[in-house]
Amino acid sequence: MEVEPKSPKSASLNLRVDYRVLVIVLLVVIAAMLAMWKPWSPGVSAKDRTITVSGNATLQAEPDEFIFNPSYHYTNSDKTAALKQISDKSDEIVAQLKKLGVASSKIETNASSWAYPVYDGSDGTPSYNLNITVTVDDKTLAQKVEDYLLTTSPTGQLTPQASFSDGKQKSLQSTARDEATKEARAKAEQSAKNLGFHLGAVKSVDDGSGFGGIVRPLAAGEALDSAKSSPSITVQPGENSLDYSVTVTYYIH
């Protein structure tokens, strides 16, 4: 029995039917993908979803560095005599500070107008100034230095400034950074728990809000008017409040 071969018209019809099925399947798949992704809706890619939180820390710390800036004023029409006065006074003070225990590297002298006099305009007599900077990193020694400087009759006020040494400042920043970053993490975890997402890796950290070097007068009312010749003033630095903050951005999913 012979099988009659299909006509070209029949084969073409079957091929068209197959293409139709394929097109329908593709349309269904595309529709499902569009329904899932919703590209027409505003939004961001999952890999770009983030949350940004800040962490803060406040430390109370007592300064460990004391800076004295006494100055001495001389008026003399004889330049040579004036400069000798300044030189002698500088040598005297520096020698006594060293005896008290102040390191040479912590004493700076600056003779204003060492070569050229300054005319204050009062009577035309030239004046010369000796400025000394003394840095002390011990409160007991600072008290001794202050008591001594009071006897040297400095011009104006003698008020030490309280600050943090480099070592203590680095230590404080390390402690504050530890507390601030822990707080930032805790805030992010709380938000994740309450809002139903999960924290991913850290995207960025802004650690630029740390406190800088702090220098301040000791306290209101502690400034000394040398003309009153108070025999002593207590060095009492108190505590400084130091604020530190950090901003962290996390990926979320």
Side-chain angles (χ1 to χ4, degrees), residues 108-173:
E108 297 180 21
T109 61
N110 176 29
S112 176
S113 300
W114 192 267
Y116 301 97
V118 174
Y119 295 90
D120 57 20
S122 56
D123 59 0
T125 304
S127 60
Y128 303 81
N129 295 307
L130 170 64
N131 302 306
I132 299 178
T133 300
V134 185
T135 304
V136 180
D137 56 8
D138 177 80
K139 188 167 70 173
T140 301
L141 179 57
Q143 185 67 66
K144 293 179 181 179
V145 168
E146 185 175 78
D147 291 343
Y148 165 67
L149 291 176
L150 289 173
T151 68
T152 63
S153 302
T155 301
Q157 294 182 339
L158 177 64
T159 305
Q161 294 178 314
S163 66
F164 294 105
S165 63
D166 291 342
K168 185 165 186 177
Q169 184 168 311
K170 289 180 180 178
S171 176
L172 290 171
Q173 283 185 334

Coordinates of all heavy atoms in Angstrom, one line a residue, residues 108-173:
E108 N 59.3 77.8 74.6 CA 59.6 78.6 73.4 C 59.6 80.0 73.7 O 58.7 80.5 74.5 CB 58.5 78.3 72.3 CG 58.4 76.9 71.8 CD 57.3 76.8 70.8 OE1 56.9 77.8 70.2 OE2 56.8 75.6 70.6
T109 N 60.6 80.7 73.2 CA 60.7 82.2 73.5 C 60.7 82.9 72.1 O 61.2 82.4 71.2 CB 62.0 82.5 74.2 OG1 63.1 82.1 73.4 CG2 62.1 81.8 75.6
N110 N 60.0 84.0 72.1 CA 59.8 84.8 70.9 C 60.0 86.3 71.3 O 59.1 86.9 71.8 CB 58.5 84.5 70.2 CG 58.3 85.4 69.0 OD1 59.3 85.8 68.4 ND2 57.1 85.7 68.7
A111 N 61.1 86.9 71.0 CA 61.3 88.3 71.3 C 60.7 89.1 70.1 O 61.3 89.2 69.1 CB 62.8 88.6 71.5
S112 N 59.6 89.7 70.4 CA 59.0 90.6 69.4 C 59.8 91.8 69.2 O 60.3 92.5 70.1 CB 57.6 91.0 69.8 OG 57.0 91.9 68.9
S113 N 60.1 92.2 67.9 CA 60.9 93.3 67.6 C 62.3 93.2 68.1 O 62.8 94.2 68.7 CB 60.2 94.6 68.0 OG 58.9 94.8 67.5
W114 N 62.9 92.0 68.0 CA 64.2 91.9 68.6 C 65.2 92.8 67.8 O 66.1 93.3 68.4 CB 64.6 90.4 68.4 CG 65.9 90.0 69.1 CD1 67.1 90.1 68.6 CD2 66.0 89.6 70.5 NE1 68.0 89.7 69.6 CE2 67.3 89.4 70.7 CE3 65.0 89.4 71.5 CZ2 67.8 89.0 72.0 CZ3 65.5 89.0 72.7 CH2 66.8 88.8 73.0
A115 N 64.9 93.0 66.6 CA 65.8 93.8 65.8 C 65.2 95.2 65.6 O 66.0 96.2 65.4 CB 66.1 93.2 64.4
Y116 N 63.9 95.3 65.6 CA 63.3 96.6 65.3 C 62.3 96.9 66.5 O 61.4 96.1 66.8 CB 62.5 96.6 64.0 CG 63.4 96.2 62.8 CD1 63.5 95.0 62.3 CD2 64.2 97.3 62.3 CE1 64.4 94.7 61.3 CE2 65.1 97.0 61.2 CZ 65.1 95.7 60.7 OH 66.0 95.4 59.7
P117 N 62.3 98.1 67.0 CA 61.4 98.4 68.1 C 60.0 98.7 67.6 O 59.8 98.9 66.4 CB 62.0 99.7 68.6 CG 62.7 100.3 67.5 CD 63.3 99.2 66.7
V118 N 59.1 98.7 68.5 CA 57.7 99.0 68.3 C 57.3 100.3 69.0 O 57.6 100.5 70.1 CB 56.7 97.9 68.8 CG1 55.3 98.3 68.6 CG2 57.0 96.6 68.0
Y119 N 56.7 101.2 68.2 CA 56.3 102.5 68.8 C 54.8 102.5 69.1 O 54.0 102.3 68.2 CB 56.7 103.6 67.8 CG 58.2 103.8 67.6 CD1 58.8 103.1 66.6 CD2 58.9 104.6 68.4 CE1 60.1 103.2 66.4 CE2 60.3 104.7 68.2 CZ 60.9 104.0 67.2 OH 62.3 104.1 67.0
D120 N 54.5 102.5 70.4 CA 53.1 102.4 70.8 C 52.3 103.7 70.6 O 51.1 103.8 70.8 CB 53.0 101.9 72.2 CG 53.7 102.8 73.2 OD1 54.0 103.9 72.9 OD2 54.0 102.3 74.3
G121 N 53.0 104.8 70.3 CA 52.3 106.1 70.0 C 52.1 106.9 71.2 O 51.5 108.0 71.1
S122 N 52.4 106.5 72.4 CA 52.1 107.3 73.6 C 53.1 108.4 73.8 O 52.7 109.6 73.7 CB 52.2 106.4 74.9 OG 53.5 105.7 74.9
D123 N 54.4 108.2 73.9 CA 55.3 109.3 74.0 C 56.5 109.1 73.0 O 57.5 109.8 73.1 CB 55.9 109.3 75.4 CG 56.6 108.0 75.8 OD1 56.6 107.1 75.0 OD2 57.1 107.9 77.0
G124 N 56.3 108.2 72.1 CA 57.3 108.0 71.1 C 58.5 107.1 71.5 O 59.4 106.9 70.7
T125 N 58.5 106.6 72.7 CA 59.5 105.7 73.2 C 59.3 104.3 72.7 O 58.2 103.8 72.8 CB 59.6 105.7 74.8 OG1 59.7 107.0 75.2 CG2 60.7 104.8 75.2
P126 N 60.3 103.7 72.1 CA 60.2 102.4 71.5 C 60.0 101.3 72.6 O 60.5 101.5 73.8 CB 61.5 102.1 70.8 CG 62.5 103.0 71.4 CD 61.7 104.2 71.9
S127 N 59.2 100.3 72.3 CA 59.0 99.2 73.3 C 59.3 97.9 72.7 O 59.3 97.7 71.5 CB 57.5 99.2 73.7 OG 56.7 99.0 72.6
Y128 N 59.6 96.9 73.6 CA 60.0 95.6 73.2 C 59.3 94.6 74.0 O 59.0 94.8 75.2 CB 61.5 95.4 73.4 CG 62.4 96.5 72.7 CD1 62.6 97.7 73.2 CD2 63.0 96.2 71.5 CE1 63.4 98.7 72.6 CE2 63.8 97.1 70.8 CZ 64.0 98.4 71.4 OH 64.7 99.3 70.7
N129 N 58.9 93.5 73.4 CA 58.1 92.5 74.1 C 58.8 91.1 74.0 O 59.3 90.7 73.0 CB 56.7 92.3 73.4 CG 55.9 93.6 73.5 OD1 55.7 94.1 74.6 ND2 55.4 94.1 72.4
L130 N 58.8 90.4 75.1 CA 59.3 89.1 75.2 C 58.0 88.2 75.5 O 57.3 88.4 76.4 CB 60.2 88.9 76.4 CG 60.6 87.5 76.8 CD1 61.4 86.8 75.7 CD2 61.4 87.5 78.1
N131 N 57.9 87.2 74.6 CA 56.8 86.2 74.7 C 57.3 84.8 74.9 O 58.2 84.4 74.2 CB 55.9 86.3 73.4 CG 55.3 87.6 73.1 OD1 54.7 88.2 74.0 ND2 55.6 88.1 71.9
I132 N 56.8 84.2 75.9 CA 57.2 82.8 76.2 C 56.0 81.9 76.2 O 55.0 82.2 76.7 CB 57.9 82.8 77.6 CG1 59.1 83.7 77.6 CG2 58.3 81.3 78.0 CD1 59.8 83.7 79.0
T133 N 56.2 80.7 75.6 CA 55.2 79.6 75.6 C 55.7 78.4 76.3 O 56.8 77.9 76.0 CB 54.8 79.3 74.2 OG1 54.3 80.4 73.5 CG2 53.7 78.2 74.2
V134 N 55.0 78.0 77.3 CA 55.4 76.9 78.1 C 54.3 75.8 78.1 O 53.2 76.1 78.4 CB 55.7 77.3 79.6 CG1 56.2 76.1 80.4 CG2 56.6 78.5 79.7
T135 N 54.7 74.6 77.7 CA 53.7 73.5 77.6 C 54.0 72.4 78.6 O 55.2 71.9 78.6 CB 53.7 72.9 76.2 OG1 53.4 73.9 75.2 CG2 52.6 71.8 76.1
V136 N 53.1 72.1 79.5 CA 53.3 71.2 80.5 C 52.2 70.1 80.5 O 51.0 70.4 80.2 CB 53.2 71.9 81.9 CG1 53.4 70.9 83.1 CG2 54.2 73.0 82.0
D137 N 52.6 68.8 80.6 CA 51.7 67.7 80.5 C 51.4 67.0 81.8 O 51.0 65.8 81.9 CB 52.2 66.7 79.5 CG 53.6 66.1 79.8 OD1 54.1 66.5 80.9 OD2 54.2 65.4 79.0
D138 N 51.6 67.8 82.9 CA 51.3 67.2 84.3 C 50.7 68.3 85.1 O 51.3 69.4 85.2 CB 52.6 66.7 84.9 CG 52.4 66.2 86.3 OD1 52.0 65.0 86.5 OD2 52.7 67.0 87.2
K139 N 49.6 68.0 85.7 CA 48.9 69.1 86.5 C 49.7 69.6 87.7 O 49.7 70.8 88.0 CB 47.5 68.6 86.9 CG 46.6 69.6 87.6 CD 45.2 69.2 87.7 CE 45.0 68.1 88.8 NZ 43.6 67.8 89.0
T140 N 50.4 68.7 88.3 CA 51.2 69.1 89.5 C 52.3 70.0 89.1 O 52.6 71.0 89.7 CB 51.8 67.8 90.2 OG1 50.7 67.0 90.6 CG2 52.6 68.2 91.4
L141 N 53.0 69.7 88.0 CA 54.0 70.5 87.5 C 53.4 71.8 87.0 O 54.1 72.9 87.1 CB 54.8 69.8 86.4 CG 55.9 70.6 85.7 CD1 57.0 71.1 86.7 CD2 56.6 69.8 84.6
A142 N 52.3 71.8 86.4 CA 51.6 73.0 85.9 C 51.4 74.0 87.0 O 51.5 75.2 86.8 CB 50.3 72.6 85.2
Q143 N 51.0 73.4 88.2 CA 50.8 74.3 89.3 C 52.1 75.0 89.8 O 52.1 76.2 90.1 CB 50.2 73.5 90.5 CG 49.8 74.3 91.7 CD 48.6 75.2 91.4 OE1 47.5 74.7 91.1 NE2 48.9 76.5 91.4
K144 N 53.2 74.2 89.7 CA 54.5 74.8 90.1 C 54.9 75.9 89.1 O 55.4 77.0 89.5 CB 55.5 73.7 90.1 CG 55.3 72.7 91.3 CD 56.4 71.6 91.2 CE 56.2 70.6 92.3 NZ 57.3 69.5 92.3
V145 N 54.6 75.6 87.8 CA 55.0 76.6 86.8 C 54.2 77.9 87.0 O 54.7 79.0 86.9 CB 54.8 76.0 85.4 CG1 54.9 77.1 84.3 CG2 55.8 74.9 85.1
E146 N 52.9 77.7 87.2 CA 52.1 78.9 87.4 C 52.5 79.7 88.6 O 52.6 80.9 88.5 CB 50.6 78.5 87.5 CG 49.7 79.7 87.6 CD 48.2 79.3 87.6 OE1 47.7 78.9 88.7 OE2 47.6 79.3 86.6
D147 N 52.8 79.0 89.7 CA 53.2 79.7 90.9 C 54.5 80.5 90.7 O 54.6 81.6 91.2 CB 53.4 78.7 92.1 CG 52.1 78.1 92.6 OD1 51.0 78.7 92.2 OD2 52.1 77.1 93.2
Y148 N 55.4 79.9 89.9 CA 56.6 80.6 89.6 C 56.4 81.8 88.7 O 56.9 82.9 88.9 CB 57.6 79.7 89.0 CG 58.8 80.4 88.3 CD1 59.7 81.2 89.1 CD2 58.9 80.5 86.9 CE1 60.7 81.9 88.5 CE2 59.9 81.2 86.3 CZ 60.8 81.9 87.1 OH 61.8 82.6 86.6
L149 N 55.6 81.6 87.6 CA 55.4 82.7 86.7 C 54.7 83.9 87.3 O 54.9 85.0 86.9 CB 54.6 82.2 85.5 CG 55.3 81.2 84.5 CD1 54.3 80.6 83.5 CD2 56.5 81.8 83.9
L150 N 53.9 83.6 88.3 CA 53.3 84.7 89.0 C 54.3 85.7 89.6 O 54.0 86.9 89.8 CB 52.3 84.2 90.1 CG 51.0 83.5 89.6 CD1 50.3 82.9 90.8 CD2 50.1 84.5 88.9
T151 N 55.4 85.2 90.0 CA 56.5 86.0 90.6 C 57.3 86.8 89.6 O 58.1 87.6 90.0 CB 57.4 85.1 91.5 OG1 58.2 84.3 90.6 CG2 56.6 84.2 92.4
T152 N 57.1 86.5 88.3 CA 57.9 87.2 87.3 C 57.3 88.4 86.7 O 57.8 89.0 85.8 CB 58.2 86.2 86.1 OG1 57.0 85.8 85.5 CG2 58.9 84.9 86.7
S153 N 56.1 88.8 87.3 CA 55.4 90.0 86.9 C 55.1 90.0 85.4 O 55.5 91.0 84.7 CB 56.2 91.3 87.3 OG 56.4 91.3 88.6
P154 N 54.4 89.1 84.8 CA 54.0 89.1 83.4 C 53.1 90.2 83.1 O 52.3 90.7 84.0 CB 53.4 87.7 83.2 CG 52.9 87.3 84.5 CD 53.8 87.9 85.5
T155 N 53.0 90.6 81.9 CA 52.1 91.7 81.5 C 50.7 91.1 81.2 O 50.6 90.1 80.6 CB 52.6 92.4 80.2 OG1 53.9 92.9 80.4 CG2 51.7 93.5 79.8
G156 N 49.7 91.8 81.7 CA 48.3 91.4 81.4 C 47.9 90.2 82.2 O 48.2 90.1 83.4
Q157 N 47.3 89.2 81.6 CA 46.7 88.1 82.3 C 47.7 86.9 82.1 O 48.3 86.7 81.1 CB 45.3 87.7 81.8 CG 44.3 88.8 82.1 CD 42.9 88.4 81.7 OE1 42.8 87.6 80.8 NE2 41.9 89.0 82.2
L158 N 47.7 86.0 83.1 CA 48.4 84.8 83.0 C 47.4 83.7 83.3 O 47.1 83.3 84.4 CB 49.5 84.7 84.1 CG 50.3 83.4 84.2 CD1 51.1 83.2 82.9 CD2 51.3 83.4 85.3
T159 N 46.9 83.1 82.2 CA 45.8 82.0 82.3 C 46.3 80.9 81.5 O 46.3 80.9 80.3 CB 44.5 82.6 81.8 OG1 44.1 83.8 82.5 CG2 43.4 81.5 82.0
P160 N 46.6 79.7 82.1 CA 46.9 78.6 81.3 C 45.7 78.1 80.5 O 44.6 78.2 81.0 CB 47.4 77.6 82.4 CG 46.7 78.0 83.6 CD 46.6 79.5 83.6
Q161 N 46.0 77.5 79.4 CA 45.0 76.9 78.6 C 45.1 75.4 78.7 O 46.2 74.8 78.8 CB 45.1 77.3 77.1 CG 44.9 78.8 76.8 CD 45.1 79.1 75.4 OE1 46.1 78.7 74.8 NE2 44.1 79.9 74.8
A162 N 43.9 74.7 78.8 CA 43.9 73.3 78.9 C 43.6 72.6 77.6 O 42.7 73.1 76.8 CB 42.8 72.9 79.9
S163 N 44.3 71.6 77.2 CA 44.1 70.9 76.0 C 44.5 69.4 76.2 O 44.8 69.0 77.2 CB 45.0 71.5 74.9 OG 46.4 71.3 75.2
F164 N 44.3 68.7 75.1 CA 44.7 67.3 75.1 C 46.0 67.0 74.3 O 46.2 67.6 73.2 CB 43.6 66.4 74.5 CG 42.3 66.5 75.2 CD1 41.2 67.2 74.8 CD2 42.1 65.8 76.4 CE1 40.0 67.2 75.5 CE2 40.9 65.8 77.1 CZ 39.9 66.6 76.6
S165 N 46.8 66.2 74.9 CA 48.0 65.8 74.2 C 47.7 65.0 73.0 O 46.6 64.4 73.0 CB 49.0 65.1 75.2 OG 48.3 63.9 75.6
D166 N 48.6 64.8 72.1 CA 48.3 64.0 70.9 C 48.0 62.6 71.3 O 47.0 62.0 70.7 CB 49.5 64.0 70.0 CG 49.7 65.4 69.3 OD1 48.8 66.2 69.3 OD2 50.8 65.6 68.8
G167 N 48.7 62.0 72.2 CA 48.4 60.6 72.7 C 47.1 60.5 73.2 O 46.4 59.5 72.9
K168 N 46.7 61.4 74.1 CA 45.4 61.2 74.8 C 44.2 61.5 73.8 O 43.2 60.8 73.8 CB 45.2 62.2 75.9 CG 43.9 62.0 76.7 CD 43.9 62.7 78.1 CE 42.7 62.4 78.9 NZ 42.7 63.0 80.2
Q169 N 44.5 62.4 72.8 CA 43.4 62.7 71.8 C 43.2 61.5 71.0 O 42.1 61.1 70.6 CB 43.9 63.9 71.0 CG 42.8 64.3 70.0 CD 43.1 65.6 69.3 OE1 43.4 66.6 70.0 NE2 43.0 65.7 68.0
K170 N 44.3 60.8 70.6 CA 44.1 59.6 69.7 C 43.4 58.5 70.5 O 42.5 57.8 70.0 CB 45.5 59.1 69.3 CG 46.2 60.0 68.2 CD 47.5 59.4 67.8 CE 48.2 60.3 66.8 NZ 49.5 59.8 66.4
S171 N 43.7 58.4 71.8 CA 43.0 57.4 72.6 C 41.6 57.7 72.8 O 40.7 56.8 72.7 CB 43.7 57.3 74.0 OG 43.0 56.4 74.9
L172 N 41.2 58.9 73.0 CA 39.8 59.3 73.1 C 39.1 59.1 71.8 O 37.9 58.7 71.8 CB 39.7 60.8 73.5 CG 40.2 61.1 74.9 CD1 40.2 62.6 75.1 CD2 39.2 60.5 76.0
Q173 N 39.7 59.4 70.7 CA 39.1 59.2 69.4 C 38.8 57.8 69.1 O 37.8 57.4 68.6 CB 39.9 59.8 68.3 CG 39.8 61.3 68.2 CD 40.6 61.9 67.0 OE1 41.6 61.3 66.5 NE2 40.2 63.1 66.5

